[in-house]
Amino acid sequence: MSYPYLPGGIRLPEVSAGDRSTQVAPKAHFTGHITFGEGHGRGVGLESNLEKKVALILRYAPTMVDLVEQQAFEWYDADGECHIHYVDLVCRLRDGRRIGYAVRPIHRVSARYEDELVRIKHQSLSQGMFDDFRLFTERDVCPVALHNATHLHSVRIAEPDADQAAAGVIGAMRGVEMIGTLRDRIGMEGTGLRAVVRLIGSGHLQLLRQEKISETSQVIRVMALH
């Protein structure tokens, strides 16, 4: 199912694949929506600013293939009573593994909540729903990873002329190059620079070091362009 087309033939993103809608929060609380993926993409609902940060970091990790929010999982407490836990974010990795994430501010991580997560992790792994289940708090947010993910997301829209020119330059690339050098070979100034950064997001290029993306960052080609 997809959202309807707007007048003029513009297609909106696919609807969220989550098992429940984003919860409407109190006035002072953050809720939102972000679109991931190529083309019209697919919407992902967010119920906190922390979830937004985590979603960006996970979605633009080099090993990531897909990200879905609010996946329902039935679990049983010590008394055998059934509960439904909505897993905040679920990642599918290139190697086929599925990782579930509970996203929560550290001040809301109580001993009782941790006990629940232990049970949910054990039961979800034993049932084969996930290959791992993890807690993600603000302490796990890497500033460099968040900066780069935000940058990658900002340039996600294809620019065909620049992307085609970048494909030619990257196809002839040998060894390590600076982003700024590749940009100069492509031409088109900022448009060429965005095309190089998109190739990092698509996994064709990889940063040589864990650092904030800049013109002086060095990259290597790790995936052939088709």
Side-chain angles (χ1 to χ4, degrees):
M1 179 180 178
S2 64
Y3 287 111
Y5 285 80
L6 289 175
I10 299 174
R11 185 176 179 177
L12 295 177
E14 297 290 334
V15 296
S16 163
D19 290 329
R20 70 169 173 82
S21 300
T22 303
Q23 301 298 291
V24 177
K27 185 175 180 180
H29 188 76
F30 175 102
T31 56
H33 181 276
I34 194 167
T35 301
F36 289 127
E38 298 179 358
H40 54 271
R42 188 182 70 226
V44 172
L46 305 166
E47 296 183 348
S48 70
N49 190 41
L50 177 59
E51 273 191 23
K52 175 188 174 183
K53 294 176 180 178
V54 177
L56 281 165
I57 290 171
L58 295 178
R59 182 61 185 83
Y60 289 100
T63 57
M64 163 67 95
V65 173
D66 194 21
L67 180 73
V68 178
E69 85 283 23
Q70 300 303 327
Q71 296 291 283
F73 176 72
E74 292 186 354
W75 66 283
Y76 294 86
D77 62 22
D79 297 321
E81 183 177 351
C82 180
H83 305 269
I84 296 180
H85 178 86
Y86 288 94
V87 181
D88 293 312
L89 296 167
V90 178
C91 301
R92 181 165 59 87
L93 307 184
R94 293 186 187 277
D95 61 9
R97 288 183 299 148
R98 282 167 49 87
I99 313 296
Y101 288 89
V103 180
R104 202 173 183 93
I106 194 66
H107 71 272
R108 293 183 56 210
V109 179
S110 63
R112 178 179 178 181
Y113 181 72
E114 288 185 299
D115 288 343
E116 288 182 2
L117 291 189
V118 169
R119 287 186 175 275
I120 292 167
K121 177 174 182 175
H122 174 73
Q123 293 174 30
S124 63
L125 268 60
S126 64
Q127 294 178 31
M129 180 170 182
F130 301 126
D131 296 286
D132 200 359
F133 185 81
R134 304 167 183 173
L135 172 64
F136 207 126
T137 76
E138 66 272 22
R139 294 179 181 176
D140 301 305
V141 174
C142 171
V144 172
L146 178 59
H147 174 275
N148 288 348
T150 303
H151 192 172
L152 293 169
H153 190 67
S154 72
V155 303
R156 69 192 183 281
I157 305 299
E159 297 172 284
D161 290 343
D163 293 337
Q164 184 176 357
V169 169
I170 300 306
M173 181 178 167
R174 299 291 181 271
V176 178
E177 295 282 6
M178 282 200 308
I179 289 177
T181 301
L182 296 173
R183 183 260 339 260
D184 292 342
R185 290 178 188 163
I186 296 167
M188 305 183 192
E189 299 182 350
T191 308
L193 180 61
R194 291 193 295 273
V196 176
V197 176
R198 265 192 296 281
L199 289 170
I200 298 173
S202 66
H204 292 92
L205 295 176
Q206 180 178 301
L207 291 169
L208 199 62
R209 288 178 289 274
Q210 175 70 0
E211 62 180 349
K212 291 183 177 180
I213 295 172
S214 72
E215 294 182 10
T216 60
S217 297
Q218 294 180 311
V219 293
I220 57 174
R221 191 181 68 184
V222 293
M223 188 186 303
L225 287 158
H226 300 292

